[in-house]
Amino acid sequence: MSQSPGRRGLLVTGAATALTLSTVSFANAASAASPDPSATGPGAGDTRTRTVRGTLPPGSPDFVHLPVEVPRGVHEIHVAYSYERPAVPAGTQGNALDIGLFDERGTELGGKGFRGWSGGARTEFFVRADAATPGYIPGPVRAGTWHLALGPYTVAPQGLPYEITITLTYGAPGTTPPPVHPPQRAKGRGRAWYRGDCHIHSVHSDGRRTPAEIAALARAAGLDFINSSEHNTYSGHRAWEGLWGDDLLILTGEEVTTRNGHVLALGTDPGTFIDWRYRARDNRFGRFAREISRAGGLVVPAHPHGTCIGCNWKFGFADADAVEVWNGAFTPDDEISLAEWDNSLVASVRSGGTGRKWTPAMGNSDAHRDPDPIGTPQTVVLADDLSRDAVLAGIRAGHSYVAESAAVSLAFGAAGGRGLHAGIGDRLRVAPDAPVTVRLEVTGAPGCAAYFVTDQGPLYSSALPESGSGTVEWRTTASYAAYVRAEVRHAPKVTGLPGALAAFTNPVFLGE
């Protein structure tokens, strides 16, 4: 079967438009075992194959649906696809085509039909009851209209010619094993500071490491918790069996990867799927942010000033529980994210009593493959115990700081009034002119300097001892500084520009 852009119509799915192509039927498809289509019905092990070809033009919708009629008796669906990558002029985007699968329950936004997504990470995949390619969800292969979801991420001026081969294998339906998900608590150390990396990719999306390799690297990096955050799929939630332990808590989530930015659904209930098929102009993000919250997770916009196509965050921060200010190796886009986050803190303390909330910051590695280090950076959270609820509560409250590795530790707080003290993320309730002492203890940051940043900007800095460990104090008042946060930075590599972060804290607020 060959299709030109073969469009059946332009359907509106409740948000972004989706082009639906002509349905692929297997009614007269030949069997690999018996090439005569007129032969009797397929038996166990028989296969039927269809190949679809077409070209998507520039300006195609974000998603193109290819309906596939799946008959009764199918044991496995296998899909392989390819597309042309012609040369394009400098500064022009070439072709990139993502792919995923929805079953007979349909493609409705936020519906039940999702069966997997591999984006552009794979050229083929399969789904059956007892197993599926990483990124895809094992389960029954029921008769009905399934849909391949194509995502033309970028299209060259010449168009995007593609070829898709769908193979159905017949046989007994098989049994889907119940998923085994990570426990929601590890042994921990009681109330303590716990280190975590909540943005990591495995072979279940576009990463190259297995969950076992990630767990081993997390332990080697000194982490206490990690979060499964695959692009647009929850298939990785069931992939951690035997990898957790008393020393490692594994949370489940998703990196919801839209065309207008990425958001971590952090620590959601295992098996939760959050849809991503909308743009900011569709006014749908609030609905899915609420779904993340109902599933017990946190809404964390990721790398909001990332430079990749579709990475720049366009949905605003009203629904955010935290924001990923530092993503991977510290780069200029992280500096911009840090400055934007600091401006949001200023706005929160100048809201004239309107109760505008502040959004805590965090940092994660976004590690995909060697040599990406797990735990660079990492968020260090004060939690009552090493459990999902306690860790998420600490992140939500801003009781955390971010460090480039487990070698760097901070202790930060403010004291004043009659023996009052406040730690990271808390408020020191003192009179406007009462003396306040801000204190930062640093270990493991040789060659670095410490900075105290307020709503007035950076107001104090001090070089750390050569060993990288020391204590810095500064005196101020609530009338002079509505909040204070700490940064630890490496020496600048370019004169006149700030050095890269080694660590930073969420703020301590001052005043009533």
Side-chain angles (χ1 to χ4, degrees), residues 382-478:
L382 179 61
D384 288 337
D385 54 36
L386 187 52
S387 67
R388 169 194 173 191
D389 289 347
V391 167
L392 296 187
I395 295 172
R396 185 186 291 108
H399 294 157
S400 61
Y401 65 89
V402 180
E404 65 182 359
S405 74
V408 181
S409 294
L410 305 182
F412 180 64
R418 298 181 178 179
L420 299 176
H421 180 272
I424 299 171
D426 290 331
R427 177 174 292 276
L428 182 67
R429 298 187 178 280
V430 293
D433 295 323
V436 172
T437 299
V438 181
R439 179 184 176 91
L440 172 68
E441 298 176 24
V442 183
T443 58
C448 292
Y451 299 80
F452 291 145
V453 183
T454 76
D455 56 315
Q456 310 301 324
L459 292 183
Y460 185 79
S461 65
S462 176
L464 293 170
E466 191 172 315
S467 66
S469 299
T471 300
V472 181
E473 289 190 353
W474 178 59
R475 291 175 66 83
T476 187
T477 64

Side-chain angles (χ1 to χ4, degrees), residues 160-499:
L160 196 161
Y162 62 87
E163 178 178 293
I164 304 170
T165 299
I166 306 156
T167 300
L168 306 183
T169 301
Y170 289 80
T175 301
T176 303
V180 178
H181 293 133
Q184 311 227 339
R185 181 181 299 274
K187 184 177 181 180
R189 304 179 298 278
R191 184 170 174 82
W193 291 91
Y194 294 101
R195 296 176 177 268
D197 188 347
C198 294
H199 189 167
I200 303 172
H201 296 280
S202 78
V203 294
H204 283 263
S205 57
D206 60 344
R208 293 293 180 267
R209 292 169 173 147
T210 66
E213 291 169 329
I214 289 172
L217 290 169
R219 288 182 165 97
L223 300 182
D224 302 294
F225 65 92
I226 57 175
N227 178 69
S228 174
S229 56
E230 309 296 356
H231 292 286
N232 296 343
T233 183
Y234 63 92
S235 73
H237 292 189
R238 64 176 71 204
W240 300 93
E241 185 173 2
L243 300 177
W244 57 78
D246 288 347
D247 62 331
L248 185 64
L249 174 70
I250 300 175
L251 307 176
T252 55
E254 178 186 334
E255 184 175 6
V256 184
T257 307
T258 81
R259 297 298 180 86
N260 283 160
H262 303 183
V263 61
L264 299 178
L266 198 169
T268 49
D269 295 334
T272 297
F273 166 62
I274 304 296
D275 213 322
W276 71 94
R277 294 171 295 158
Y278 43 84
R279 289 180 180 255
R281 66 186 178 220
D282 299 319
N283 196 28
R284 290 293 187 272
F285 177 68
R287 166 187 167 185
F288 292 100
R290 290 189 292 274
E291 284 194 9
I292 294 170
S293 298
R294 282 194 295 269
L298 301 183
V299 178
V300 184
H303 46 67
H305 288 277
T307 56
C308 58
I309 295 173
C311 289
N312 207 267
W313 184 249
K314 300 296 186 183
F315 294 95
F317 297 93
D319 297 299
D321 295 301
V323 58
E324 186 186 74
V325 166
W326 184 355
N327 175 278
F330 194 78
T331 53
D333 63 283
D334 298 307
E335 194 72 66
I336 295 170
S337 296
L338 182 70
E340 181 181 59
W341 171 67
D342 189 73
N343 287 338
S344 76
L345 297 179
V346 174
S348 74
V349 299
R350 294 179 180 172
S351 59
T354 60
R356 176 171 176 167
K357 73 171 186 175
W358 70 282
T359 305
M362 66 183 307
N364 302 296
S365 72
D366 200 1
H368 283 69
R369 58 186 67 83
D370 292 338
D372 299 348
I374 301 289
T376 300
Q378 54 194 248
T379 300
V380 190
V381 183
L382 179 61
D384 288 337
D385 54 36
L386 187 52
S387 67
R388 169 194 173 191
D389 289 347
V391 167
L392 296 187
I395 295 172
R396 185 186 291 108
H399 294 157
S400 61
Y401 65 89
V402 180
E404 65 182 359
S405 74
V408 181
S409 294
L410 305 182
F412 180 64
R418 298 181 178 179
L420 299 176
H421 180 272
I424 299 171
D426 290 331
R427 177 174 292 276
L428 182 67
R429 298 187 178 280
V430 293
D433 295 323
V436 172
T437 299
V438 181
R439 179 184 176 91
L440 172 68
E441 298 176 24
V442 183
T443 58
C448 292
Y451 299 80
F452 291 145
V453 183
T454 76
D455 56 315
Q456 310 301 324
L459 292 183
Y460 185 79
S461 65
S462 176
L464 293 170
E466 191 172 315
S467 66
S469 299
T471 300
V472 181
E473 289 190 353
W474 178 59
R475 291 175 66 83
T476 187
T477 64
S479 62
Y480 190 57
Y483 65 82
V484 185
R485 59 181 185 83
E487 295 180 357
V488 178
R489 289 183 178 264
H490 293 279
K493 293 185 176 180
V494 178
T495 302
L497 295 178

